[in-house]
Amino acid sequence: MRIIAKKTLRDFWEVHPDCEQQLKSWYQEAAKAEWINSKQIKTAYPSASFLADNRVVFNIKGNHYRLIVKINYDYQILWIRFIGTHGEYDKINAKTI
């Protein structure tokens, strides 16, 4: 997968260094992945949640943080749409972000 934009993750772990390693690991795994559907993601990440418009919510660092991505399976592109704490996640509309 081609991931857009790693800078969003980097900016986040600079403020929340406790999740840096988990975000780096997720990034490396996702970059190597060739997901063609949500079933493949669910196999690798059983706690992932799936929303409309090919959005996926990943739990980071034992569910302390939430990462929302939008995926284009045909072009193998993954856009990072949001990373934040549960409190921040509760304030957004995950289906449209």
Side-chain angles (χ1 to χ4, degrees), residues 7-78:
K7 183 182 182 320
T8 303
L9 298 180
R10 189 178 311 115
D11 291 347
F12 189 78
W13 76 55
E14 287 176 1
V15 176
H16 302 276
D18 62 320
C19 67
E20 179 177 358
Q21 189 55 49
Q22 289 84 359
L23 288 172
K24 285 180 176 179
S25 294
W26 176 88
Y27 182 90
Q28 290 173 352
E29 291 170 12
K32 291 178 185 175
E34 295 179 1
W35 296 320
I36 59 170
N37 58 44
S38 59
K39 291 174 89 174
Q40 290 181 322
I41 296 172
K42 196 66 168 173
T43 299
Y45 295 93
S47 65
S49 301
F50 298 89
L51 307 174
D53 199 24
N54 290 327
R55 296 184 195 290
V56 183
V57 180
F58 293 94
N59 297 315
I60 304 295
K61 194 180 180 262
N63 207 19
H64 286 92
Y65 302 102
R66 295 275 176 102
L67 171 64
I68 301 175
V69 302
K70 183 175 179 176
I71 299 175
N72 182 313
Y73 295 103
D74 294 334
Y75 291 99
Q76 291 289 289
I77 299 175
L78 185 151

